[in-house]
């Protein structure tokens, strides 16, 4: 790889000799009302964490990364067949552990995306990385291939806590991975950090948060460990902090983050000004996204409008065999009774909420269809009394499940 680091995939296309006319016709601007993102799932990890309920599988010696790259691009071809191609505003490589991909395989995938998709000029391309798979040369190659945002799974800066939650890296390796990313030219980095770990004290959680803030990432995902069904921790429960301790951690942590210039814009997302994750914002604003890869999910707004959700086969081998036909395992249109809570389940995760007009734009339903639960939410002090905006109050933000329950179909 050369030393020139493309700022976005349009530069990559130019470098690789990919012309715009190869991308197919663009959408009618009057119809392009719903932003489009792309999610790419990489299903392998070095080892499955006991708290993880994502579709991840232990990587073995026989994994053929090139074959998986071929399957991803065939899957994308199937997704695009007969569909208009609005500009893609963000690409997110999630997992699993995408940083297990070789630089050559990732470059091939990104070039394949550039051949097939229309790309926004300010495209955000995020790749999740685990410290235990971080290499300086690989980070530099990822940057050269067009990745412009890294999300590093630090999770904890306490070695005993890392061992307790099954992570394969040490605290020192986590800090080293962050510094390697900076040295490779990344100026937009998210760090994942959990609190409420086994036997963790409020003081210990805040000490770790303070150490992560001192690294000065642009974005922090700070979230509570939860015990999800179908995980080892759910069936073999560790000793976790009680509700009062968790509340203390969260309140003090929010204050610490705010004092350091990190604004909470979503339940577990904190960012410097202008550094919110655009890919996740598109999810929360009920935008559209294509999902490719084993177990990936997608959501598209079709004429009508009809909101369609689609998921792919979860097992990597079965997914790769069926990729040319789209590898779809489930597909359905959301009913009119489901759309309000689907929309609000996302939009009300945002501290500032969304413009009220977005409800009708993204669901095709009049806001009058939820007039009664809206009135109830405002009367209970869970939703701001603002006709122009759907926004949780401080109380509603803290009791989001209670707020959303008001919109559930009877």
């Amino acid at each position: 790889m050369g030393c020139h680091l493309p700022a976005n995939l349009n530069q990559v296309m130019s470098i690789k000799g990919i012309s715009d006319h190869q991308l197919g016709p663009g959408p009618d601007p009057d119809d392009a009302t719903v932003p489009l993102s792309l999610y790419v799932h990489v299903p392998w990890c070095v080892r499955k964490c006991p708290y993880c309920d994502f579709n991840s599988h232990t990587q073995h010696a026989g994994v053929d990364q090139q074959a998986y790259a071929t399957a991803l691009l065939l899957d994308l071809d199937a997704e695009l067949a007969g569909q208009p191609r609005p500009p893609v505003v963000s690409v997110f490589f999630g997992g699993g552990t995408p940083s297990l991909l070789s630089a050559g395989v990732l470059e091939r995938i990104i070039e394949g995306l550039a051949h097939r998709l229309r790309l926004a000029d300010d495209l955000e391309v995020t790749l999740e990385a685990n410290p235990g798979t971080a290499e300086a040369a690989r980070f530099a190659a990822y940057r050269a291939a067009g990745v412009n945002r890294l999300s590093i799974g630090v999770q904890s800066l306490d070695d005993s806590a890392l061992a307790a939650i099954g992570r394969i890296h040490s605290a020192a390796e986590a800090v080293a991975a962050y510094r390697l990313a900076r040295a490779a030219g990344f100026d937009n980095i998210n760090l994942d950090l959990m609190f409420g770990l086994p036997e963790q004290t409020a003081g210990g959680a805040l000490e770790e948060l303070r150490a992560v803030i001192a690294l000065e990432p642009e974005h922090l995902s700070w979230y509570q460990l939860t015990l999800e069904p179908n995980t080892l921790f759910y069936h073999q429960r560790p000793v976790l902090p009680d509700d009062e301790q968790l509340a203390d951690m969260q309140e003090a942590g929010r204050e610490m983050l705010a004092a350091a210039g990190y604004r909470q814009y979503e339940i577990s997302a904190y960012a410097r000004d202008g550094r919110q994750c655009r890919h996740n914002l598109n999810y929360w604003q009920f935008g559209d996204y294509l999902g490719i890869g084993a177990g990936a999910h997608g959501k598209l707004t079709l004429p009508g409008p009809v909101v369609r959700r689609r998921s792919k086969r979860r097992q990597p081998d079965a997914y790769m065999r069926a990729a040319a036909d789209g590898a779809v395992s489930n597909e359905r249109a959301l009913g009119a009774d489901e759309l309000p809570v689907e929309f609000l389940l996302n939009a009300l995760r945002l501290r500032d909420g969304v413009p009220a007009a977005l409800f009708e734009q993204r669901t095709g339903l009049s806001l009058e269809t939820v007039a009664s639960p809206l009135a109830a939410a405002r009367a209970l002090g869970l939703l701001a009394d603002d006709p122009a905006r759907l926004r949780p109050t401080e109380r509603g933000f803290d009791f989001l499940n209670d707020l959303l329950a008001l919109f559930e179909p009877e």
Side-chain angles (χ1 to χ4, degrees):
M1 294 289 180
C3 61
H4 178 65
L5 304 180
N8 59 55
L9 286 189
N10 293 312
Q11 287 180 271
V12 174
M13 289 191 292
S14 175
I15 292 168
K16 302 298 181 183
I18 302 167
S19 62
D20 187 66
H21 76 268
Q22 291 174 275
L23 300 177
D28 180 342
D30 292 335
D31 295 331
T33 56
V34 184
L36 180 66
S37 296
L38 174 68
Y39 175 75
V40 184
H41 191 72
V42 180
W44 294 290
C45 287
V46 174
R47 184 173 66 194
K48 181 86 170 178
C49 295
Y51 59 85
C52 177
D53 68 339
F54 295 132
N55 184 40
S56 60
H57 307 263
T58 302
Q59 180 169 267
H60 54 80
V63 168
D64 187 338
Q65 292 190 2
Q66 289 289 357
Y68 191 72
T70 297
L72 288 172
L73 298 176
L74 288 171
D75 185 0
L76 182 57
D77 287 337
E79 285 281 345
L80 296 174
Q83 298 290 335
R85 302 186 184 189
V88 170
V89 299
S90 63
V91 177
F92 195 104
F93 289 86
T97 306
S99 54
L100 287 173
L101 292 177
S102 72
V105 167
L106 183 69
E107 182 177 34
R108 181 189 163 203
I109 294 168
I110 287 178
E111 287 182 16
L113 303 183
H115 273 292
R116 291 163 171 80
L117 298 167
R118 298 181 63 82
L119 304 167
D121 289 338
D122 59 349
L123 183 74
E124 176 189 87
V125 185
T126 301
L127 181 132
E128 290 184 334
N130 279 344
T133 62
E135 299 175 15
R138 186 175 290 183
F139 275 178
Y142 291 160
R143 184 73 183 90
V147 176
N148 54 26
R149 183 176 184 272
L150 273 187
S151 181
I152 302 176
V154 171
Q155 310 308 2
S156 174
L157 286 178
D158 179 277
D159 285 340
S160 61
L162 287 167
I165 61 174
R167 301 296 288 178
I168 64 170
H169 66 271
S170 67
E173 286 173 323
V175 173
Y178 174 81
R179 301 204 185 284
L180 288 174
R182 286 295 194 213
F186 283 97
D187 61 1
N188 194 4
I189 298 175
N190 168 66
L191 297 181
D192 279 354
L193 184 70
M194 291 195 290
F195 68 92
L197 302 180
E199 301 185 16
Q200 187 177 49
T201 65
L206 296 174
E207 182 180 346
E208 291 186 48
L209 180 59
R210 189 176 294 107
V212 168
I213 289 172
L215 295 173
E216 299 187 332
E218 286 70 33
H219 191 286
L220 265 165
S221 296
W222 188 59
Y223 58 100
Q224 180 185 333
L225 171 65
T226 55
L227 304 184
E228 302 291 348
N230 302 316
T231 65
L232 181 62
F233 270 3
Y234 189 81
H235 298 287
Q236 299 177 19
R237 294 179 174 243
V239 177
L240 299 180
D242 61 31
D243 289 345
E244 185 175 348
Q245 290 173 306
L246 290 170
D248 290 343
M249 291 178 194
Q250 189 169 50
E251 182 178 357
R254 283 179 180 174
E255 292 175 359
M256 185 185 297
L257 285 158
Y262 292 92
R263 183 175 182 275
Q264 183 181 23
Y265 67 99
E266 188 267 344
I267 293 292
S268 59
Y270 301 76
R272 303 279 197 190
D273 287 344
R275 293 296 191 153
Q276 295 88 346
C277 176
R278 282 183 280 160
H279 185 86
N280 286 342
L281 274 174
N282 192 36
Y283 288 159
W284 297 322
Q285 293 167 351
F286 214 54
D288 282 349
Y289 51 97
L290 301 174
I292 61 173
H297 289 248
K299 174 240 172 198
L300 280 182
T301 305
L302 305 174
V306 173
V307 176
R308 184 198 73 192
R309 290 204 180 276
R310 172 184 281 178
S311 59
K312 304 299 173 66
R313 298 190 183 191
R314 291 175 59 85
Q315 292 298 323
D317 290 343
Y319 166 79
M320 287 190 281
R321 287 195 298 269
D325 296 318
V328 176
S329 62
N330 185 57
E331 181 176 328
R332 69 185 190 91
L334 296 179
D337 61 335
E338 299 174 279
L339 280 168
V341 74
E342 285 266 353
F343 176 90
L344 294 166
L345 180 67
N346 288 282
L348 295 181
R349 290 178 64 92
L350 296 170
R351 181 170 281 282
D352 291 338
V354 296
L358 200 65
F359 180 88
E360 185 168 347
Q361 292 172 15
R362 300 285 161 89
T363 68
L365 301 173
S366 167
L367 202 56
E368 286 300 311
T369 60
V370 289
S372 179
L374 284 176
R378 287 172 176 141
L380 291 168
L382 300 175
L383 194 71
D385 190 9
D386 182 353
R389 197 160 192 90
L390 299 173
R391 176 175 60 82
T393 60
E394 286 294 323
R395 176 178 172 79
F397 198 67
D398 287 336
F399 294 92
L400 186 57
N401 288 339
D402 294 331
L403 173 56
L404 293 173
L406 297 171
F407 299 91
E408 290 281 1
E410 294 183 0

